[in-house]
């Protein structure tokens, strides 16, 4: 996707309700829960994810050496799950860093009941509700783009949905990349919130509407030319879109839990 410039913070963020930070269990009005994970099946060392404890529900995603978004444009950055991913203290942990001049991220994927048959994918839905509890160190040059990507692989025609997205040193936002031929036709919904504290980000993708929530409050929605075909979910965490991190920049992204629903 085309990078979006950070926007200055403009509003004070309300206090977070502790109850909203707990892993949601069960169906919701209009939504049937199909996946949840709290990473409490034991630790997995760096290089071992998903391992026996998580293999039934997770894939490490792109293999080592796969170029990330900036890497496809010539940057020295890519996905290296064997050097980045672990499970520690009940959290999925990305250790983001640079080795031998290459900035390293990872893009794990949950295995969820899917709506795709050509090709079959373990992480695809047509419409859904995706909720994550996360935080990260403020690592300039690394970013998240936890996204839904069209199973067709045709972009921008079939759109894209991202949340939370942003450089880890700034605030994060949601993005609805509209269906069509314009790669810049995007609704950006800003959160006025940085990555450094625990937050729950929820994206609800329904026919004709994609709404973004932060800690239970709506930030806004995209309602025009929203995707209407199966898409697959990727926790894409990468580098270099706003400039590569300094060689000494290193730290973590933490995912405490994730819950996914399909339309009831």
């Amino acid at each position: 996707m085309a990078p979006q410039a950070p926007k200055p913070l403009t509003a004070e963020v309300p206090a977070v309700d502790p109850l909203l930070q707990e892993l949601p269990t069960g169906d919701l009005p209009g939504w049937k829960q199909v996946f949840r994970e709290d990473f409490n099946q034991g630790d997995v060392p760096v290089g071992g994810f998903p391992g026996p404890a998580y293999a039934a529900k997770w894939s490490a995603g792109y293999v080592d050496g796969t170029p990330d978004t900036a890497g496809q444009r010539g940057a020295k950055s890519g996905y290296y799950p064997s050097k980045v991913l672990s499970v520690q203290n009940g959290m999925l942990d990305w250790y983001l860093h640079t080795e031998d001049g290459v900035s390293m991220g990872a893009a794990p994927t949950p295995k969820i009941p899917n709506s795709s048959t050509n090709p079959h994918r373990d992480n695809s839905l047509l419409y859904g509700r995706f909720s994550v509890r996360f935080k990260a160190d403020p690592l300039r040059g690394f970013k998240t783009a936890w996204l839904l990507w069209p199973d067709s692989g045709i972009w921008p025609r079939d759109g894209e949905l991202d949340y939370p997205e942003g450089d880890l040193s700034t605030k994060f936002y949601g993005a609805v990349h509209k269906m069509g031929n314009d790669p810049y036709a995007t609704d950006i919904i800003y959160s006025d919130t940085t990555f450094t504290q625990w937050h729950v980000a929820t994206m609800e993708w329904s026919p004709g509407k994609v709404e973004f929530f932060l800690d239970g409050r709506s930030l806004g929605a995209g309602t025009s030319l929203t995707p209407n075909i199966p898409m697959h979910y990727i926790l894409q965490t990468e580098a270099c879109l706003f400039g590569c991190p300094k060689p000494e920049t290193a730290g973590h992204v933490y995912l405490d839990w994730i819950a996914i629903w399909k339309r009831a």
Side-chain angles (χ1 to χ4, degrees):
M1 61 161 290
Q4 301 292 324
K7 183 179 178 182
L9 301 181
T10 59
E12 183 177 349
V13 178
V16 176
D17 181 349
L19 293 178
L20 293 174
Q21 302 290 299
E22 297 179 1
L23 173 66
T25 301
D27 299 341
L28 297 169
W31 300 100
K32 178 177 177 58
Q33 191 169 59
V34 294
F35 185 93
R36 64 177 180 268
E37 177 67 77
D38 59 6
F39 302 103
N40 285 328
Q41 300 304 308
D43 290 352
V44 178
V46 173
F49 185 81
Y54 301 98
K57 296 173 67 176
W58 287 91
S59 165
Y62 303 123
V63 300
D64 282 7
T66 303
D68 62 12
T69 305
Q72 294 173 32
R73 304 171 185 172
K76 292 185 177 181
S77 58
Y79 301 111
Y80 288 83
S82 76
K83 295 178 177 290
V84 169
L85 292 177
S86 66
V87 177
Q88 307 288 338
N89 302 315
M91 298 177 291
L92 182 59
D93 183 335
W94 286 253
Y95 172 52
L96 303 177
H97 64 290
T98 297
E99 289 187 22
D100 299 324
V102 177
S103 300
M104 297 182 174
T109 61
K111 298 178 181 180
I112 56 181
N114 71 87
S115 297
S116 178
T117 57
N118 187 24
H120 174 84
R121 293 184 181 273
D122 288 333
N123 57 334
S124 171
L125 284 177
L126 175 60
Y127 307 122
R129 186 178 194 270
F130 303 82
S131 190
V132 293
R133 184 175 189 257
F134 68 100
K135 74 172 182 176
D137 296 326
L139 308 174
R140 184 172 297 276
F142 289 103
K143 67 165 291 189
T144 62
W146 294 358
L147 60 84
L148 287 159
W149 185 260
D151 289 354
S152 68
I154 301 175
W155 188 94
R157 187 197 72 180
D158 292 337
E160 173 189 347
L161 306 174
D162 306 76
Y163 186 58
E165 180 172 13
D167 187 280
L168 298 182
S169 66
T170 66
K171 64 185 179 64
F172 56 86
Y173 52 87
V176 179
H177 293 263
K178 300 171 187 273
M179 299 184 76
N181 296 317
D182 182 357
Y184 298 102
T186 308
D187 289 327
I188 304 293
I189 311 295
Y190 290 96
S191 73
D192 290 317
T193 306
T194 63
F195 286 89
T196 56
Q197 301 294 321
W198 286 109
H199 288 287
V200 175
T202 301
M203 175 171 58
E204 288 189 355
W205 172 34
S206 303
K209 183 179 181 180
V210 181
E211 188 166 8
F212 301 99
F213 298 84
L214 176 64
D215 299 320
R217 62 186 179 95
S218 177
L219 299 177
T223 57
S224 67
L225 300 177
T226 57
N228 60 11
I229 62 170
M231 307 183 85
H232 50 280
Y233 190 51
I234 310 170
L235 298 175
Q236 185 170 290
T237 307
E238 55 185 15
C240 291
L241 276 184
F242 301 113
C244 288
K246 294 180 179 180
E248 65 271 20
T249 298
H252 300 265
V253 173
Y254 302 103
L255 176 63
D256 181 32
W257 54 253
I258 176 173
I260 301 172
W261 296 258
K262 68 178 182 179
R263 282 171 56 83

